[in-house]
Amino acid sequence: MKMIVAIIRPEKLEDVQAALNERDVYLMTVSEVRGCGRQRGYAEMYRGTEYKTRLLPKLKIEIAVNDAFVDATMEAIVHAARAGSTGQVGDGKIFVFPLEDCVRIRTGEEGPEAIGP
Amino acid sequence: MARADEPKIAASSASVSLSPLAINVLWLLVTGFLVIVMQAGFAMVETGLTRSKNVTHTMTMTVAAFALSALAFFAVGFALMYGGAAGDVTGSHGPAPHEVSFRVADHDAGLFGFSGFFLAAPGADGALLAVFFSQAVLVVVAATIPTGAMAERWKFRAFVYFVVFMAAIVYPVFGNWVWGGGWLAQLSLGRGFVDFAGSSVIHLVGGIAAVAGCRVLGPRIGKYNRDGSLNVLLPHSVPLYMAGTMILTFGWFGLIAGRAVVANDLIVGRVATNALVASAAGAVAAMIYMWTLYKKPDPSFICNGLLAGLVAISAPCAFVTPLAAVVIGLIAGVLVVWSVLFLERATRLDDPVGAISIHGINGAWGVLALGLFADGSYREVTGLFHGGGSQLAAQVIGLVACVVWTFIMCWLFFQIVGIFVGNRVGPTTELQGLDVPELGVVGYFNEDPAAAKGSTSRAFAEPRAAAAPPPASENRFSIVIEGTDAATVKVIWNELCQPSDRPSDPDFVAVYPLMTLIKGNRFRFRGGQPDDVRARMERLVSKRLPEKAIRARIET
């Protein structure tokens, strides 16, 4: 079992979700987060004075998957989350963690079965 | 001596039949109601342009300013402004009957009225009270202006004292000079100092009070860096200040048209048209100016430009042509941008909403614009461009008088309040936001999901230091199902867990609340009688696998 955490552009959520569903990955948790990469935000102007937006709005998707789904999940996210045809700075990142255990609260199931499709 | 503000209401009440008077009273009231709407606009603009942690404080100031200044004007202000006799609408030329004045060059120069405190004036009939009402709502506007410039750091108690002082003394005395038949209106230059709808009486007074207040308070924490460079403290709600700007604009037409005093004076049409084109020109000028200067049309400046146009046209709106109104508005739009940038960078007056630039600078511009553009068609007020240089001189004198009077009075008052109460909140309060420390209420209250379910009464235990969780009160045990493989057991259990129309198996209903989780064919339970649970589990599984010999055993 792996926990896949992906940081994506907010406007890419629908594409990513569709791509994941195509690979039979349906369960996910999405949260609104803020973050920055190497560019550390961008500069804007308010009433003639420049200000820096250091943290940009992003979405964090958390997906627990069984080992067989790891590659398919990462592939789906990578392709769906890219901006434009070439991808752009700020498209996001994917992190993969080993997942020790999982319990479905309702049935008490534990382990890979609890993750489900 | 003839005055620019000619008598209207009383003249019609005395000599004409009753119905024009009724129309006039109605007009004063309806336009006055519109001015009250401006208060909603002020609240929204000021709150939208500041930060969310000060929402309650900023909004409460505008509502409280309404209440406090209306009462203060009722008790004291009206008596000082009009001597209890409705000033420019009494029908008398020259100073009001109960005017404290001095004699200069053979005529009385009024300083302030002194009769009609608490509206206890002889002959305070409906018409006079309508005049009071239409004036009282204007005081509210003037008294609210400083709250925007001084937002996010002004101590609420100090604000309360200031608003009362403003509405009882500062505004009415200057108002007397201009609209109450006082010395500015009596100037022998031009037609005396003229201000149709309050560029000076309302806006310049409010703007100068804001200057004094900002000077005393100092900039908000975080506005300036140690090296003097600027930070942007972003406004928290663009929709709020945008909608507020339009509401303010709507009410403004009531203010301006109401100053025409009588509905059957056709000047109302000119007044409204001039205000419309001037405000539009102000917004467009500010937009284009920011667009060319900084690549994007700053939306907050479009709003400021709109209001700047309205302030600037307030004084001259009855006296200039619509084309001149456009020019006045265009200049106002650029002026407001310049002024905001200049004040922020050169003077370190931290005015989060631009009140000083909108009301102060453009109030002054409106007063001068009248002296430049007045075309002589209304009340014979003629500006410099139409051959009347002396009118401009009168306007300059009025402008200087307004700035000097207002600034000195407000500055002194802030010093006194500073000694006894303090004007500014402490840095801890300011950083936290003024809402809770000053007023006890968060502006935007995100409902706690637990509270929404109605379980707020639950008391949570005090945290304790612990290396391991405390021993459980209930017993824990496992039931191992034998006689078939774990996968089959899991399938059976899963089916039991599915929602169904049929009533659940009573054994399942009994054991389900005790079940913690499943590992293979091992069910972990918490609480309950192990023997009972074992028997029920065995029954549950064997009922569904009749061909197999199912056995459940307890493991502790």
Side-chain angles (χ1 to χ4, degrees), chain B residues 208-369:
Chain B
I208 296 300
V211 173
C214 277
R215 227 8 327 144
V216 169
L217 288 182
R220 291 168 291 171
I221 295 174
K223 179 70 187 178
Y224 295 97
N225 297 318
R226 223 161 263 174
D227 61 0
S229 59
L230 267 177
N231 291 322
V232 170
L233 305 179
L234 277 180
H236 92 279
S237 176
V238 177
L240 202 58
Y241 78 67
M242 290 268 174
T245 300
M246 288 320 294
I247 290 175
L248 202 43
T249 304
F250 173 66
W252 213 295
F253 283 86
L255 193 165
I256 286 190
R259 285 293 305 161
V261 182
V262 286
N264 53 14
D265 186 346
L266 291 181
I267 199 67
V268 165
R270 189 186 214 191
V271 160
T273 302
N274 282 350
L276 178 74
V277 295
S279 61
V284 169
M287 179 175 80
I288 293 175
Y289 190 64
M290 285 307 287
W291 216 333
T292 46
L293 216 59
Y294 294 103
K295 307 289 180 284
K296 286 178 188 173
D298 189 305
S300 75
F301 269 131
I302 297 175
C303 292
N304 283 181
L306 192 74
L307 299 181
L310 285 168
V311 171
I313 202 63
S314 285
C317 59
F319 307 102
V320 300
T321 62
L323 190 59
V326 171
V327 175
I328 292 170
L330 288 173
I331 293 173
V334 176
L335 210 52
V336 78
V337 176
W338 275 355
S339 168
V340 165
L341 300 184
F342 173 78
L343 290 176
E344 265 190 357
R345 288 165 192 185
T347 69
R348 291 169 70 100
L349 283 175
D350 180 18
D351 174 1
V353 307
I356 295 173
S357 306
I358 297 170
H359 301 280
I361 302 297
N362 279 293
W365 162 234
V367 166
L368 297 178

Side-chain angles (χ1 to χ4, degrees), chain A residues 17-80:
Chain A
Q17 194 169 7
L20 287 170
N21 290 359
E22 259 170 43
R23 310 305 302 270
D24 281 342
V25 176
Y26 299 98
L27 313 182
M28 61 167 70
T29 307
V30 179
S31 18
E32 290 177 31
V33 294
R34 278 160 196 283
C36 61
R38 265 176 299 183
Q39 286 66 35
R40 289 182 295 165
Y42 62 94
E44 247 326 323
M45 195 79 91
Y46 174 69
R47 286 166 99 78
T49 307
E50 198 182 82
Y51 67 94
K52 280 225 143 189
T53 299
R54 293 191 177 81
L55 298 174
L56 304 177
K58 297 283 173 191
L59 290 183
K60 179 169 81 170
I61 309 182
E62 289 160 292
I63 313 170
V65 291
N66 289 319
D67 293 334
F69 284 86
V70 174
D71 288 342
T73 304
M74 291 206 290
E75 184 197 286
I77 297 174
V78 163
H79 287 286

